[in-house]
């Protein structure tokens, strides 16, 4: 059985490491985007929904559809699982195949549920003012426009999902922000079954903008289908992280990656060991989705790695490969990097060999 030793860090090495991590989180030289206009106004769909008269839900949904024609159908069908939206003031006639509860009935129950009304109060308190969110998104959109000249900013809509783990989504020209997933200590997420602590710690407001830009990046550059080699998925995850670095230059690495500060430090301390593990275990080219998920999926830690490792360790490796590639190829633009068809080309030309 292979043995992998976690490096012990001496005092001098610790100072060096802190300098490295500090350099990674300091503001890099960023382009001047002051001449790019990207105003953002977050539409409060979440508040408009709760203004519906519960005695006239179907009519209220119709009016809401007129305001949000691209979002309401997605919200009802995909987020709340209430079925396809029928744009009709009159409720559909029941059929043998249709459930007895109409969509309007389901929405009425949602709007009158005491627990969800209490949740709404918490959301309204946490997000009483959206100025900061709008300013941060505006700046991120400006950087995105700078690097991708054909980028068009989406309409930004706030919603709640009854804590259904929808943090940020994209649908056509809409970027949706699930505000109830970013309440931090204002809400006890442990009340929701099957939500592990490693996920709950990220249900806080500082993660909202990074999650929103991740969702946008995934719409611009859709993830590869299941069955792709682990190495390719690593590089794609690394490209996403590099994208986030460029469009969110002032956001901490911990918020972009989702690692804690201790986990990120562990990754830097043990970068060579992690890479040797993947190489010696011949994991780079595996395609079985269950095996790949061990290294690319969410989790409190990574199976097979020593104590202290974060889940989704493949993201860190891919990020370091991409950074190595970009350091060797300063002439490559962010758009060219993201549009490269073969992620293995990035790996081959990165010559990534951690020491």
């Amino acid at each position: 059985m292979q043995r992998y030793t976690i490096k012990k860090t001496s005092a001098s090495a610790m100072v060096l490491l802190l300098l490295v991590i500090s350099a990674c989180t300091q503001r890099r030289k960023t382009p001047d985007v002051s001449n790019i206009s990207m105003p953002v106004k977050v539409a409060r769909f979440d508040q408009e929904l709760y203004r519906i008269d519960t005695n006239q839900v179907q009519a209220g949904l119709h009016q809401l559809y007129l305001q949000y024609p691209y979002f309401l159908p997605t919200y009802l069908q995909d987020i709340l699982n209430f079925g396809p939206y029928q744009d009709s003031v009159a409720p559909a006639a029941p059929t043998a195949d249709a459930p007895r509860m109409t969509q309007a009935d389901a929405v009425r129950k949602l709007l009158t549920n005491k627990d969800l009304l209490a949740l709404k109060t918490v959301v309204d308190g946490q997000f009483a003012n959206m100025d900061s969110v709008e300013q941060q998104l505006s700046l991120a959109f400006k950087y995105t426009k700078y690097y991708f000249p054909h980028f068009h900013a989406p309409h930004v809509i706030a919603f709640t999902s009854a804590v259904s783990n929808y943090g940020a989504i994209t649908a056509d020209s809409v970027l949706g922000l699930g505000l109830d997933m970013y309440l931090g200590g204002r809400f006890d997420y442990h009340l929701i079954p099957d939500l592990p602590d490693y996920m709950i710690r990220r249900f806080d407001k500082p993660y909202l903008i990074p999650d929103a830009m991740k969702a946008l990046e995934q719409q611009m550059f859709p993830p590869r289908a299941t069955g792709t080699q682990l190495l390719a998925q690593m590089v794609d995850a690394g490209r996403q992280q590099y994208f986030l670095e460029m469009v969110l230059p002032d956001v901490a690495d911990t918020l972009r990656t989702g690692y804690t500060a201790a986990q990120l430090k562990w990754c830097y301390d043990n970068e060579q060991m992690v890479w040797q593990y993947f190489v010696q275990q011949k994991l780079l080219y595996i395609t079985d989705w269950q095996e790949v998920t061990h290294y690319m999926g969410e989790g409190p830690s990574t199976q097979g790695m020593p104590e202290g490792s974060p889940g989704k360790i493949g993201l860190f490796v891919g990020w370091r490969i991409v950074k190595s590639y970009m350091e060797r190829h300063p002439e490559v633009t962010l758009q060219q990097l993201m549009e490269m068809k073969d992620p293995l080309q990035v790996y081959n030309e990165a010559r990534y060999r951690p020491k």
Side-chain angles (χ1 to χ4, degrees):
M1 182 176 67
Q2 295 286 345
R3 293 185 179 273
Y4 300 91
T5 304
I6 302 177
K7 298 178 183 176
K8 293 184 178 180
T9 309
S10 66
S12 58
M14 176 67 77
V15 172
L16 178 60
L17 177 64
L18 291 175
L19 289 174
V20 170
I21 294 179
S22 175
C24 291
T25 56
Q26 287 177 352
R27 179 182 176 89
R28 61 177 51 79
K29 185 177 180 180
T30 55
D32 180 7
V33 294
S34 60
N35 63 332
I36 299 176
S37 178
M38 283 283 168
V40 173
K41 183 65 178 177
V42 178
R44 295 303 297 265
F45 173 91
D46 59 312
Q47 295 179 345
E48 294 289 340
L49 178 67
Y50 275 90
R51 292 193 182 107
I52 290 178
D53 184 344
T54 54
N55 293 316
Q56 301 183 51
V57 172
Q58 192 68 45
L61 288 175
H62 176 73
Q63 291 301 315
L64 201 58
Y65 176 74
L66 297 179
Q67 290 180 260
Y68 300 96
Y70 298 108
F71 184 68
L72 181 63
T74 296
Y75 180 72
L76 293 176
Q77 179 171 349
D78 299 325
I79 297 176
L80 296 183
N81 293 315
F82 285 175
Y85 173 65
Q86 300 295 327
D87 183 25
S88 172
V89 175
T95 66
D97 297 326
R100 290 184 179 276
M101 179 182 290
T102 66
Q103 193 170 74
D105 290 334
V107 172
R108 184 179 297 107
K109 285 184 174 291
L110 176 80
L111 299 180
T112 56
N113 181 283
K114 292 182 179 180
D115 291 334
L116 296 181
L117 287 171
L119 178 64
K120 175 187 179 299
T121 300
V122 178
V123 170
D124 288 345
Q126 176 81 321
F127 294 97
N129 188 311
M130 299 294 285
D131 289 351
S132 175
V133 172
E134 291 169 348
Q135 291 166 7
Q136 292 177 73
L137 281 177
S138 175
L139 185 57
F141 291 169
K142 286 183 179 184
Y143 284 122
T144 306
K145 182 71 171 180
Y146 176 86
Y147 292 114
F148 302 89
H150 297 296
F151 169 74
H152 295 286
H155 301 289
V156 185
I157 295 175
F159 67 93
T160 56
S161 64
V163 196
S164 296
N165 204 13
Y166 284 94
I169 67 164
T170 54
D172 296 318
S173 60
V174 168
L175 172 62
L177 309 178
L179 301 185
D180 54 332
M181 300 308 299
Y182 301 98
L183 300 178
R186 287 174 175 255
F187 179 77
D188 185 3
Y189 288 100
H190 293 94
L191 297 173
I192 309 301
D194 303 322
L195 282 182
D197 286 342
Y198 70 85
M199 294 179 64
I200 288 175
R201 70 172 179 79
R202 300 199 302 267
F203 295 165
D204 206 352
K205 198 171 184 178
Y207 290 92
L208 173 57
I209 302 303
D211 284 356
M213 295 310 295
K214 285 178 189 176
L216 196 59
E217 184 273 344
Q218 288 173 346
Q219 183 184 53
M220 296 169 66
F221 305 99
R224 296 176 189 277
T226 302
T228 305
Q229 293 173 340
L230 173 60
L231 180 57
Q233 293 194 37
M234 284 180 173
V235 171
D236 283 346
R239 287 198 282 191
Q240 181 187 74
Q241 283 302 309
Y242 195 83
F243 171 93
L244 294 175
E245 277 192 86
M246 297 297 104
V247 301
L248 298 172
D250 296 319
V251 172
D253 291 345
T254 50
L255 297 177
R256 290 194 301 259
T257 60
Y259 299 149
T260 65
Q263 288 173 334
L264 188 58
K265 177 181 178 298
W266 186 96
C267 290
Y268 281 112
D269 278 348
N270 297 282
E271 183 176 0
Q272 183 182 38
M273 179 275 293
V274 171
W275 180 245
Q276 288 176 345
Y277 177 86
F278 282 113
V279 172
Q280 293 176 11
Q281 295 294 323
K282 299 180 180 179
L283 296 170
L284 296 178
Y285 300 101
I286 61 173
T287 58
D288 179 78
W289 71 269
Q290 289 183 313
E291 287 189 271
V292 168
T293 300
H294 290 325
Y295 309 105
M296 299 303 300
E298 295 280 4
S301 60
T302 296
Q303 180 177 325
M305 293 286 170
E307 183 179 355
S309 69
K312 211 171 185 177
I313 191 68
L315 179 150
F316 178 80
V317 175
W319 182 31
R320 298 295 289 166
I321 290 172
V322 171
K323 287 177 74 72
S324 177
Y325 172 84
M326 293 302 284
E327 287 169 3
R328 291 181 179 277
H329 299 275
E331 76 285 357
V332 174
T333 67
L334 178 60
Q335 181 165 342
Q336 289 171 333
L337 170 69
M338 301 304 294
E339 291 178 349
M340 290 179 67
K341 300 298 183 184
D342 184 6
L344 297 187
Q345 179 185 347
V346 176
Y347 165 69
N348 290 330
E349 296 183 11
R351 289 184 280 175
Y352 175 67
R353 298 293 184 275
K355 298 180 180 179

